[in-house]
Amino acid sequence: MSPFRTSGVGRSSVREALRSLELLGLIETRHGVGTFLASTQKHPLVEKWSMFILEDEKSKKDVELTRQIHEMEAIRVISCTMTLRTLPMWDSFL
């Protein structure tokens, strides 16, 4: 089943969101390769957003919770994939 169907998001909405992020300079699309996060160092929009977020204590907690959720999911995916589990970089975490 398509991830778009299970999330209730249409393909056109996702394409438009990606296009907007690319126009803002937050992602880069390389044809035939994929879509990647752009460098956010000294990006004016990222600097403004981060200052806005860091002003509010609840926003800081939301950012921390989001980070934890992403890290836990990454660990779950890695632990379920033999190829990823055998990468030497995980030795340092043990």
Side-chain angles (χ1 to χ4, degrees), residues 25-41:
L26 297 174
I27 62 172
E28 298 172 353
T29 302
R30 298 180 199 139
H31 295 287
V33 180
T35 302
F36 305 89
L37 288 176
S39 173
T40 56
Q41 294 177 345

Side-chain angles (χ1 to χ4, degrees), residues 46-59:
V46 172
E47 288 182 20
K48 286 182 173 121
W49 281 347
S50 61
M51 288 183 66
F52 175 75
I53 288 170
L54 294 176
E55 288 179 0
D56 180 43
E57 195 60 37
K58 183 180 180 320
S59 293

Side-chain angles (χ1 to χ4, degrees), residues 70-87 89-90 93:
H70 285 284
E71 286 177 354
M72 287 188 296
E73 180 62 12
I75 291 168
R76 186 191 69 73
V77 168
I78 290 163
S79 66
C80 293
T81 309
M82 186 55 74
T83 307
L84 295 175
R85 282 176 38 194
T86 59
L87 293 174
M89 66 181 279
W90 301 115
F93 290 101

